[in-house]
PDB file of all heavy atoms in Angstrom:
ATOM      1  N   ALA A   2     -14.223  -2.575 -19.136  1.00 40.00           N
ATOM      2  CA  ALA A   2     -13.097  -2.599 -18.209  1.00 40.00           C
ATOM      3  C   ALA A   2     -11.837  -2.106 -18.895  1.00 40.00           C
ATOM      4  O   ALA A   2     -11.599  -2.380 -20.066  1.00 40.00           O
ATOM      5  CB  ALA A   2     -12.883  -4.013 -17.673  1.00 40.00           C
ATOM      6  N   ALA A   3     -11.049  -1.360 -18.174  1.00 42.00           N
ATOM      7  CA  ALA A   3      -9.774  -0.888 -18.699  1.00 42.00           C
ATOM      8  C   ALA A   3      -8.820  -2.068 -18.792  1.00 42.00           C
ATOM      9  O   ALA A   3      -8.882  -3.003 -18.004  1.00 42.00           O
ATOM     10  CB  ALA A   3      -9.202   0.205 -17.796  1.00 42.00           C
ATOM     11  N   ALA A   4      -7.915  -2.050 -19.753  1.00 44.00           N
ATOM     12  CA  ALA A   4      -6.975  -3.146 -19.967  1.00 44.00           C
ATOM     13  C   ALA A   4      -6.165  -3.416 -18.708  1.00 44.00           C
ATOM     14  O   ALA A   4      -5.635  -2.508 -18.092  1.00 44.00           O
ATOM     15  CB  ALA A   4      -6.056  -2.815 -21.127  1.00 44.00           C
ATOM     16  N   GLY A   5      -6.081  -4.672 -18.324  1.00 45.00           N
ATOM     17  CA  GLY A   5      -5.268  -5.061 -17.179  1.00 45.00           C
ATOM     18  C   GLY A   5      -5.933  -4.874 -15.826  1.00 45.00           C
ATOM     19  O   GLY A   5      -5.397  -5.266 -14.820  1.00 45.00           O
ATOM     20  N   ASP A   6      -7.094  -4.242 -15.793  1.00 45.00           N
ATOM     21  CA  ASP A   6      -7.744  -3.981 -14.519  1.00 45.00           C
ATOM     22  C   ASP A   6      -8.772  -5.035 -14.154  1.00 45.00           C
ATOM     23  O   ASP A   6      -9.267  -5.057 -13.035  1.00 45.00           O
ATOM     24  CB  ASP A   6      -8.416  -2.603 -14.516  1.00 45.00           C
ATOM     25  CG  ASP A   6      -7.414  -1.484 -14.448  1.00 45.00           C
ATOM     26  OD1 ASP A   6      -6.351  -1.686 -13.821  1.00 45.00           O
ATOM     27  OD2 ASP A   6      -7.675  -0.427 -15.025  1.00 45.00           O
ATOM     28  N   GLY A   7      -9.123  -5.910 -15.083  1.00 48.00           N
ATOM     29  CA  GLY A   7     -10.109  -6.933 -14.795  1.00 48.00           C
ATOM     30  C   GLY A   7     -11.480  -6.313 -14.581  1.00 48.00           C
ATOM     31  O   GLY A   7     -11.744  -5.188 -14.983  1.00 48.00           O
ATOM     32  N   PRO A   8     -12.368  -7.031 -13.927  1.00 50.00           N
ATOM     33  CA  PRO A   8     -13.744  -6.568 -13.787  1.00 50.00           C
ATOM     34  C   PRO A   8     -13.935  -5.525 -12.695  1.00 50.00           C
ATOM     35  O   PRO A   8     -15.037  -5.065 -12.480  1.00 50.00           O
ATOM     36  CB  PRO A   8     -14.496  -7.847 -13.424  1.00 50.00           C
ATOM     37  CG  PRO A   8     -13.479  -8.659 -12.697  1.00 50.00           C
ATOM     38  CD  PRO A   8     -12.159  -8.355 -13.375  1.00 50.00           C
ATOM     39  N   TRP A   9     -12.886  -5.120 -11.999  1.00 52.00           N
ATOM     40  CA  TRP A   9     -13.038  -4.243 -10.842  1.00 52.00           C
ATOM     41  C   TRP A   9     -13.129  -2.772 -11.210  1.00 52.00           C
ATOM     42  O   TRP A   9     -13.557  -1.964 -10.414  1.00 52.00           O
ATOM     43  CB  TRP A   9     -11.899  -4.458  -9.853  1.00 52.00           C
ATOM     44  CG  TRP A   9     -11.807  -5.888  -9.443  1.00 52.00           C
ATOM     45  CD1 TRP A   9     -10.824  -6.764  -9.771  1.00 52.00           C
ATOM     46  CD2 TRP A   9     -12.739  -6.630  -8.661  1.00 52.00           C
ATOM     47  NE1 TRP A   9     -11.085  -7.998  -9.247  1.00 52.00           N
ATOM     48  CE2 TRP A   9     -12.245  -7.941  -8.556  1.00 52.00           C
ATOM     49  CE3 TRP A   9     -13.938  -6.307  -8.051  1.00 52.00           C
ATOM     50  CZ2 TRP A   9     -12.929  -8.922  -7.859  1.00 52.00           C
ATOM     51  CZ3 TRP A   9     -14.605  -7.285  -7.351  1.00 52.00           C
ATOM     52  CH2 TRP A   9     -14.103  -8.578  -7.261  1.00 52.00           C
ATOM     53  N   LEU A  10     -12.689  -2.389 -12.420  1.00 51.00           N
ATOM     54  CA  LEU A  10     -12.744  -0.992 -12.841  1.00 51.00           C
ATOM     55  C   LEU A  10     -13.508  -0.869 -14.140  1.00 51.00           C
ATOM     56  O   LEU A  10     -13.452  -1.744 -14.987  1.00 51.00           O
ATOM     57  CB  LEU A  10     -11.323  -0.429 -13.024  1.00 51.00           C
ATOM     58  CG  LEU A  10     -10.462  -0.312 -11.780  1.00 51.00           C
ATOM     59  CD1 LEU A  10      -9.061   0.164 -12.151  1.00 51.00           C
ATOM     60  CD2 LEU A  10     -11.075   0.622 -10.773  1.00 51.00           C
ATOM     61  N   ASP A  11     -14.195   0.233 -14.286  1.00 49.00           N
ATOM     62  CA  ASP A  11     -14.947   0.509 -15.494  1.00 49.00           C
ATOM     63  C   ASP A  11     -14.555   1.898 -15.969  1.00 49.00           C
ATOM     64  O   ASP A  11     -14.447   2.820 -15.154  1.00 49.00           O
ATOM     65  CB  ASP A  11     -16.451   0.454 -15.187  1.00 49.00           C
ATOM     66  CG  ASP A  11     -17.290   0.716 -16.414  1.00 49.00           C
ATOM     67  OD1 ASP A  11     -17.444  -0.219 -17.212  1.00 49.00           O
ATOM     68  OD2 ASP A  11     -17.755   1.859 -16.579  1.00 49.00           O
ATOM     69  N   ASP A  12     -14.321   2.064 -17.288  1.00 56.00           N
ATOM     70  CA  ASP A  12     -13.886   3.351 -17.821  1.00 56.00           C
ATOM     71  C   ASP A  12     -14.830   4.486 -17.451  1.00 56.00           C
ATOM     72  O   ASP A  12     -14.407   5.564 -17.072  1.00 56.00           O
ATOM     73  CB  ASP A  12     -13.744   3.286 -19.346  1.00 56.00           C
ATOM     74  CG  ASP A  12     -12.580   2.415 -19.792  1.00 56.00           C
ATOM     75  OD1 ASP A  12     -11.634   2.230 -18.988  1.00 56.00           O
ATOM     76  OD2 ASP A  12     -12.623   1.918 -20.933  1.00 56.00           O
ATOM     77  N   ALA A  13     -16.117   4.252 -17.530  1.00 55.00           N
ATOM     78  CA  ALA A  13     -17.083   5.309 -17.260  1.00 55.00           C
ATOM     79  C   ALA A  13     -17.437   5.422 -15.781  1.00 55.00           C
ATOM     80  O   ALA A  13     -17.537   6.516 -15.242  1.00 55.00           O
ATOM     81  CB  ALA A  13     -18.361   5.067 -18.081  1.00 55.00           C
ATOM     82  N   ALA A  14     -17.613   4.289 -15.125  1.00 47.00           N
ATOM     83  CA  ALA A  14     -18.101   4.304 -13.745  1.00 47.00           C
ATOM     84  C   ALA A  14     -16.994   4.346 -12.702  1.00 47.00           C
ATOM     85  O   ALA A  14     -17.234   4.716 -11.569  1.00 47.00           O
ATOM     86  CB  ALA A  14     -18.978   3.076 -13.493  1.00 47.00           C
ATOM     87  N   GLY A  15     -15.785   3.962 -13.075  1.00 50.00           N
ATOM     88  CA  GLY A  15     -14.708   3.898 -12.092  1.00 50.00           C
ATOM     89  C   GLY A  15     -14.717   2.564 -11.380  1.00 50.00           C
ATOM     90  O   GLY A  15     -15.072   1.540 -11.951  1.00 50.00           O
ATOM     91  N   ARG A  16     -14.347   2.553 -10.096  1.00 48.00           N
ATOM     92  CA  ARG A  16     -14.284   1.314  -9.319  1.00 48.00           C
ATOM     93  C   ARG A  16     -15.698   0.765  -9.135  1.00 48.00           C
ATOM     94  O   ARG A  16     -16.596   1.467  -8.678  1.00 48.00           O
ATOM     95  CB  ARG A  16     -13.631   1.598  -7.961  1.00 48.00           C
ATOM     96  CG  ARG A  16     -13.536   0.384  -7.080  1.00 48.00           C
ATOM     97  CD  ARG A  16     -12.693   0.644  -5.862  1.00 48.00           C
ATOM     98  NE  ARG A  16     -11.282   0.476  -6.125  1.00 48.00           N
ATOM     99  CZ  ARG A  16     -10.686  -0.708  -6.217  1.00 48.00           C
ATOM    100  NH1 ARG A  16     -11.372  -1.806  -6.082  1.00 48.00           N
ATOM    101  NH2 ARG A  16      -9.405  -0.797  -6.447  1.00 48.00           N
ATOM    102  N   LEU A  17     -15.876  -0.493  -9.482  1.00 51.00           N
ATOM    103  CA  LEU A  17     -17.188  -1.127  -9.386  1.00 51.00           C
ATOM    104  C   LEU A  17     -17.452  -1.725  -8.007  1.00 51.00           C
ATOM    105  O   LEU A  17     -18.585  -1.995  -7.657  1.00 51.00           O
ATOM    106  CB  LEU A  17     -17.322  -2.221 -10.452  1.00 51.00           C
ATOM    107  CG  LEU A  17     -17.242  -1.727 -11.906  1.00 51.00           C
ATOM    108  CD1 LEU A  17     -17.287  -2.909 -12.860  1.00 51.00           C
ATOM    109  CD2 LEU A  17     -18.357  -0.743 -12.208  1.00 51.00           C
ATOM    110  N   VAL A  18     -16.392  -1.962  -7.247  1.00 55.00           N
ATOM    111  CA  VAL A  18     -16.529  -2.522  -5.911  1.00 55.00           C
ATOM    112  C   VAL A  18     -16.077  -1.449  -4.926  1.00 55.00           C
ATOM    113  O   VAL A  18     -14.990  -0.896  -5.057  1.00 55.00           O
ATOM    114  CB  VAL A  18     -15.669  -3.794  -5.765  1.00 55.00           C
ATOM    115  CG1 VAL A  18     -15.711  -4.318  -4.347  1.00 55.00           C
ATOM    116  CG2 VAL A  18     -16.118  -4.855  -6.751  1.00 55.00           C
ATOM    117  N   ARG A  19     -16.900  -1.148  -3.939  1.00 54.00           N
ATOM    118  CA  ARG A  19     -16.555  -0.139  -2.943  1.00 54.00           C
ATOM    119  C   ARG A  19     -15.354  -0.605  -2.134  1.00 54.00           C
ATOM    120  O   ARG A  19     -15.247  -1.787  -1.804  1.00 54.00           O
ATOM    121  CB  ARG A  19     -17.739   0.127  -2.016  1.00 54.00           C
ATOM    122  CG  ARG A  19     -18.963   0.631  -2.723  1.00 54.00           C
ATOM    123  CD  ARG A  19     -18.669   1.850  -3.507  1.00 54.00           C
ATOM    124  NE  ARG A  19     -19.254   3.011  -2.893  1.00 54.00           N
ATOM    125  CZ  ARG A  19     -18.968   4.225  -3.279  1.00 54.00           C
ATOM    126  NH1 ARG A  19     -18.093   4.436  -4.207  1.00 54.00           N
ATOM    127  NH2 ARG A  19     -19.526   5.240  -2.714  1.00 54.00           N
ATOM    128  N   PRO A  20     -14.441   0.307  -1.794  1.00 56.00           N
ATOM    129  CA  PRO A  20     -13.234  -0.097  -1.075  1.00 56.00           C
ATOM    130  C   PRO A  20     -13.493  -0.881   0.219  1.00 56.00           C
ATOM    131  O   PRO A  20     -12.777  -1.827   0.511  1.00 56.00           O
ATOM    132  CB  PRO A  20     -12.544   1.236  -0.771  1.00 56.00           C
ATOM    133  CG  PRO A  20     -13.008   2.147  -1.848  1.00 56.00           C
ATOM    134  CD  PRO A  20     -14.425   1.719  -2.140  1.00 56.00           C
ATOM    135  N   PHE A  21     -14.539  -0.528   0.963  1.00 58.00           N
ATOM    136  CA  PHE A  21     -14.766  -1.229   2.229  1.00 58.00           C
ATOM    137  C   PHE A  21     -15.171  -2.680   2.007  1.00 58.00           C
ATOM    138  O   PHE A  21     -15.009  -3.509   2.899  1.00 58.00           O
ATOM    139  CB  PHE A  21     -15.788  -0.504   3.110  1.00 58.00           C
ATOM    140  CG  PHE A  21     -17.172  -0.428   2.526  1.00 58.00           C
ATOM    141  CD1 PHE A  21     -18.074  -1.459   2.704  1.00 58.00           C
ATOM    142  CD2 PHE A  21     -17.574   0.689   1.808  1.00 58.00           C
ATOM    143  CE1 PHE A  21     -19.348  -1.392   2.175  1.00 58.00           C
ATOM    144  CE2 PHE A  21     -18.849   0.770   1.284  1.00 58.00           C
ATOM    145  CZ  PHE A  21     -19.734  -0.279   1.452  1.00 58.00           C
ATOM    146  N   THR A  22     -15.689  -3.023   0.830  1.00 58.00           N
ATOM    147  CA  THR A  22     -16.022  -4.420   0.561  1.00 58.00           C
ATOM    148  C   THR A  22     -14.773  -5.252   0.313  1.00 58.00           C
ATOM    149  O   THR A  22     -14.770  -6.455   0.572  1.00 58.00           O
ATOM    150  CB  THR A  22     -16.980  -4.574  -0.627  1.00 58.00           C
ATOM    151  OG1 THR A  22     -16.356  -4.045  -1.793  1.00 58.00           O
ATOM    152  CG2 THR A  22     -18.296  -3.866  -0.377  1.00 58.00           C
ATOM    153  N   VAL A  23     -13.720  -4.617  -0.154  1.00 64.00           N
ATOM    154  CA  VAL A  23     -12.455  -5.314  -0.392  1.00 64.00           C
ATOM    155  C   VAL A  23     -11.885  -5.839   0.925  1.00 64.00           C
ATOM    156  O   VAL A  23     -11.297  -6.906   0.981  1.00 64.00           O
ATOM    157  CB  VAL A  23     -11.451  -4.368  -1.092  1.00 64.00           C
ATOM    158  CG1 VAL A  23     -10.078  -4.976  -1.187  1.00 64.00           C
ATOM    159  CG2 VAL A  23     -11.973  -3.981  -2.471  1.00 64.00           C
ATOM    160  N   SER A  24     -12.084  -5.081   2.000  1.00 59.00           N
ATOM    161  CA  SER A  24     -11.560  -5.478   3.319  1.00 59.00           C
ATOM    162  C   SER A  24     -12.650  -6.105   4.191  1.00 59.00           C
ATOM    163  O   SER A  24     -12.497  -6.181   5.404  1.00 59.00           O
ATOM    164  CB  SER A  24     -10.945  -4.275   4.027  1.00 59.00           C
ATOM    165  OG  SER A  24     -11.932  -3.300   4.277  1.00 59.00           O
ATOM    166  N   ASP A  25     -13.736  -6.533   3.572  1.00 64.00           N
ATOM    167  CA  ASP A  25     -14.867  -7.122   4.304  1.00 64.00           C
ATOM    168  C   ASP A  25     -15.406  -6.188   5.378  1.00 64.00           C
ATOM    169  O   ASP A  25     -15.819  -6.622   6.448  1.00 64.00           O
ATOM    170  CB  ASP A  25     -14.489  -8.467   4.928  1.00 64.00           C
ATOM    171  CG  ASP A  25     -14.220  -9.529   3.880  1.00 64.00           C
ATOM    172  OD1 ASP A  25     -14.858  -9.484   2.814  1.00 64.00           O
ATOM    173  OD2 ASP A  25     -13.365 -10.400   4.128  1.00 64.00           O
ATOM    174  N   GLY A  26     -15.351  -4.897   5.134  1.00 61.00           N
ATOM    175  CA  GLY A  26     -15.880  -3.915   6.069  1.00 61.00           C
ATOM    176  C   GLY A  26     -14.951  -3.587   7.221  1.00 61.00           C
ATOM    177  O   GLY A  26     -15.266  -2.751   8.052  1.00 61.00           O
ATOM    178  N   ARG A  27     -13.800  -4.255   7.289  1.00 68.00           N
ATOM    179  CA  ARG A  27     -12.860  -3.989   8.387  1.00 68.00           C
ATOM    180  C   ARG A  27     -12.136  -2.677   8.123  1.00 68.00           C
ATOM    181  O   ARG A  27     -11.785  -2.358   7.003  1.00 68.00           O
ATOM    182  CB  ARG A  27     -11.848  -5.132   8.513  1.00 68.00           C
ATOM    183  CG  ARG A  27     -12.506  -6.434   8.942  1.00 68.00           C
ATOM    184  CD  ARG A  27     -11.557  -7.606   8.880  1.00 68.00           C
ATOM    185  NE  ARG A  27     -11.219  -7.833   7.475  1.00 68.00           N
ATOM    186  CZ  ARG A  27     -10.049  -8.251   7.050  1.00 68.00           C
ATOM    187  NH1 ARG A  27      -9.074  -8.497   7.891  1.00 68.00           N
ATOM    188  NH2 ARG A  27      -9.830  -8.442   5.773  1.00 68.00           N
ATOM    189  N   THR A  28     -11.918  -1.913   9.176  1.00 65.00           N
ATOM    190  CA  THR A  28     -11.270  -0.612   9.035  1.00 65.00           C
ATOM    191  C   THR A  28      -9.959  -0.505   9.786  1.00 65.00           C
ATOM    192  O   THR A  28      -9.245   0.462   9.626  1.00 65.00           O
ATOM    193  CB  THR A  28     -12.197   0.521   9.522  1.00 65.00           C
ATOM    194  OG1 THR A  28     -12.526   0.277  10.891  1.00 65.00           O
ATOM    195  CG2 THR A  28     -13.458   0.595   8.692  1.00 65.00           C
ATOM    196  N   ARG A  29      -9.659  -1.496  10.615  1.00 78.00           N
ATOM    197  CA  ARG A  29      -8.423  -1.450  11.418  1.00 78.00           C
ATOM    198  C   ARG A  29      -7.555  -2.673  11.116  1.00 78.00           C
ATOM    199  O   ARG A  29      -8.012  -3.807  11.243  1.00 78.00           O
ATOM    200  CB  ARG A  29      -8.750  -1.425  12.891  1.00 78.00           C
ATOM    201  CG  ARG A  29      -9.521  -0.190  13.308  1.00 78.00           C
ATOM    202  CD  ARG A  29      -9.448   0.008  14.819  1.00 78.00           C
ATOM    203  NE  ARG A  29     -10.436   0.918  15.339  1.00 78.00           N
ATOM    204  CZ  ARG A  29     -10.511   2.209  15.105  1.00 78.00           C
ATOM    205  NH1 ARG A  29      -9.661   2.756  14.280  1.00 78.00           N
ATOM    206  NH2 ARG A  29     -11.433   2.965  15.655  1.00 78.00           N
ATOM    207  N   PRO A  30      -6.296  -2.427  10.751  1.00 78.00           N
ATOM    208  CA  PRO A  30      -5.399  -3.566  10.526  1.00 78.00           C
ATOM    209  C   PRO A  30      -5.012  -4.208  11.846  1.00 78.00           C
ATOM    210  O   PRO A  30      -5.033  -3.569  12.899  1.00 78.00           O
ATOM    211  CB  PRO A  30      -4.182  -2.928   9.848  1.00 78.00           C
ATOM    212  CG  PRO A  30      -4.203  -1.503  10.288  1.00 78.00           C
ATOM    213  CD  PRO A  30      -5.649  -1.151  10.496  1.00 78.00           C
ATOM    214  N   THR A  31      -4.660  -5.477  11.806  1.00 82.00           N
ATOM    215  CA  THR A  31      -4.246  -6.196  13.005  1.00 82.00           C
ATOM    216  C   THR A  31      -2.763  -5.986  13.309  1.00 82.00           C
ATOM    217  O   THR A  31      -2.283  -6.399  14.355  1.00 82.00           O
ATOM    218  CB  THR A  31      -4.508  -7.702  12.846  1.00 82.00           C
ATOM    219  OG1 THR A  31      -3.817  -8.155  11.677  1.00 82.00           O
ATOM    220  CG2 THR A  31      -5.995  -7.989  12.733  1.00 82.00           C
ATOM    221  N   VAL A  32      -2.042  -5.348  12.379  1.00 88.00           N
ATOM    222  CA  VAL A  32      -0.610  -5.089  12.514  1.00 88.00           C
ATOM    223  C   VAL A  32      -0.408  -3.580  12.414  1.00 88.00           C
ATOM    224  O   VAL A  32      -1.043  -2.923  11.583  1.00 88.00           O
ATOM    225  CB  VAL A  32       0.168  -5.801  11.383  1.00 88.00           C
ATOM    226  CG1 VAL A  32       1.646  -5.485  11.451  1.00 88.00           C
ATOM    227  CG2 VAL A  32      -0.075  -7.298  11.418  1.00 88.00           C
ATOM    228  N   ALA A  33       0.460  -3.031  13.251  1.00 89.00           N
ATOM    229  CA  ALA A  33       0.750  -1.592  13.192  1.00 89.00           C
ATOM    230  C   ALA A  33       1.586  -1.287  11.956  1.00 89.00           C
ATOM    231  O   ALA A  33       2.722  -1.741  11.821  1.00 89.00           O
ATOM    232  CB  ALA A  33       1.489  -1.152  14.452  1.00 89.00           C
ATOM    233  N   LEU A  34       1.010  -0.540  11.030  1.00 90.00           N
ATOM    234  CA  LEU A  34       1.687  -0.136   9.805  1.00 90.00           C
ATOM    235  C   LEU A  34       1.552   1.366   9.643  1.00 90.00           C
ATOM    236  O   LEU A  34       0.475   1.916   9.877  1.00 90.00           O
ATOM    237  CB  LEU A  34       1.065  -0.818   8.586  1.00 90.00           C
ATOM    238  CG  LEU A  34       1.120  -2.344   8.527  1.00 90.00           C
ATOM    239  CD1 LEU A  34       0.231  -2.855   7.408  1.00 90.00           C
ATOM    240  CD2 LEU A  34       2.548  -2.806   8.332  1.00 90.00           C
ATOM    241  N   ASP A  35       2.633   2.026   9.223  1.00 87.00           N
ATOM    242  CA  ASP A  35       2.497   3.430   8.838  1.00 87.00           C
ATOM    243  C   ASP A  35       2.782   3.538   7.347  1.00 87.00           C
ATOM    244  O   ASP A  35       3.067   2.532   6.694  1.00 87.00           O
ATOM    245  CB  ASP A  35       3.383   4.352   9.695  1.00 87.00           C
ATOM    246  CG  ASP A  35       4.869   4.164   9.473  1.00 87.00           C
ATOM    247  OD1 ASP A  35       5.274   3.681   8.399  1.00 87.00           O
ATOM    248  OD2 ASP A  35       5.640   4.522  10.374  1.00 87.00           O
TER     249      ASP A  35
END
Side-chain angles (χ1 to χ4, degrees):
D6 287 328
W9 304 110
L10 294 176
D11 181 79
D12 291 336
R16 179 171 276 283
L17 298 176
V18 175
R19 300 304 252 169
F21 64 86
T22 61
V23 172
S24 63
D25 293 328
R27 294 172 294 146
T28 59
R29 297 198 196 294
T31 57
V32 177
L34 298 169
D35 67 24

